[in-house]
Amino acid sequence: MSDEEHHFESKADAGASKTFPQQAGTIRKNGYIVIKNRPCKVVEVSTSKTGKHGHAKCHFVAIDIFNGKKLEDIVPSSHNCDVPHVTRTDYQLIDISEDGFVSLLTENGNTKDDLKLPTDDSLLTQIKDGFGEGKDLVVTVMSSMGEEQICALKDIGPK
């Protein structure tokens, strides 16, 4: 054994709490997986059998849940993959600021002002039009791995 001491540079956050391990062979379509440090939703899984002493491999095709980019990964089915913790929370929309940020009402009555309007055009126009008409809107915010984005909209009726 070596007598040298190993020094590791400590980084602020290892990101371990944002994901949990799951065996690649157990991840199914519509599940979540981390590919290239991005949380993704699996759209296709195919398993290939290999030779005598090889591993069966899982080929994942997934779409980034925040920017919609298609990513692929191939992992031996017996190995563990990172699976992101994905949470969805509903907030009532209070206001839309000029600079593209939304003001949301949380369940405990506080406001959440750090979210931008979604980049998805159809959702963006639905939110702006509904808000302009004075409707009571509830937005669904998806959060994973330290990122948050508005992903859906519900109309609860006029104010």
Side-chain angles (χ1 to χ4, degrees):
M1 291 298 243
S2 166
D3 291 334
E4 291 176 36
E5 283 187 41
H6 294 288
H7 293 286
F8 298 103
E9 287 181 36
S10 66
K11 294 194 170 112
D13 181 26
S17 62
K18 297 171 185 163
T19 63
F20 61 95
Q22 186 175 342
Q23 193 173 351
T26 63
I27 297 173
R28 298 281 169 249
K29 186 177 174 181
N30 293 332
Y32 294 101
I33 188 172
V34 176
I35 299 177
K36 296 186 178 119
N37 277 336
R38 301 290 305 157
C40 302
K41 185 170 186 161
V42 179
V43 290
E44 191 183 319
V45 182
S46 55
T47 309
S48 64
K49 302 272 184 263
T50 54
K52 258 190 198 171
H53 302 294
H55 290 278
K57 295 217 173 22
C58 291
H59 176 236
F60 295 104
V61 178
I63 292 176
D64 189 312
I65 60 177
F66 293 120
N67 63 26
K69 284 191 180 142
K70 191 175 182 182
L71 296 163
E72 294 188 45
D73 201 8
I74 296 175
V75 187
S77 62
S78 57
H79 289 202
N80 278 350
C81 290
D82 280 336
V83 174
H85 291 286
V86 178
T87 55
R88 289 168 177 262
T89 318
D90 286 350
Y91 297 104
Q92 188 167 345
L93 181 66
I94 304 170
D95 192 24
I96 300 174
S97 66
E98 297 294 319
D99 56 1
F101 281 87
V102 289
S103 190
L104 305 171
L105 186 68
T106 62
E107 279 183 12
N108 58 12
N110 295 332
T111 58
K112 180 174 177 54
D113 301 309
D114 58 351
L115 267 176
K116 270 188 174 296
L117 280 165
T119 49
D120 179 36
D121 287 336
S122 64
L123 190 58
L124 180 66
T125 51
Q126 281 181 326
I127 292 172
K128 283 189 168 174
D129 292 350
F131 185 72
E133 291 166 20
K135 290 180 182 168
D136 255 345
L137 301 176
V138 171
V139 295
T140 303
V141 175
M142 187 160 33
S143 60
S144 177
M145 295 176 71
E147 279 186 67
E148 291 182 309
Q149 188 176 333
I150 296 171
C151 64
L153 174 71
K154 276 185 258 177
D155 185 359
I156 24 174
K159 279 186 181 170

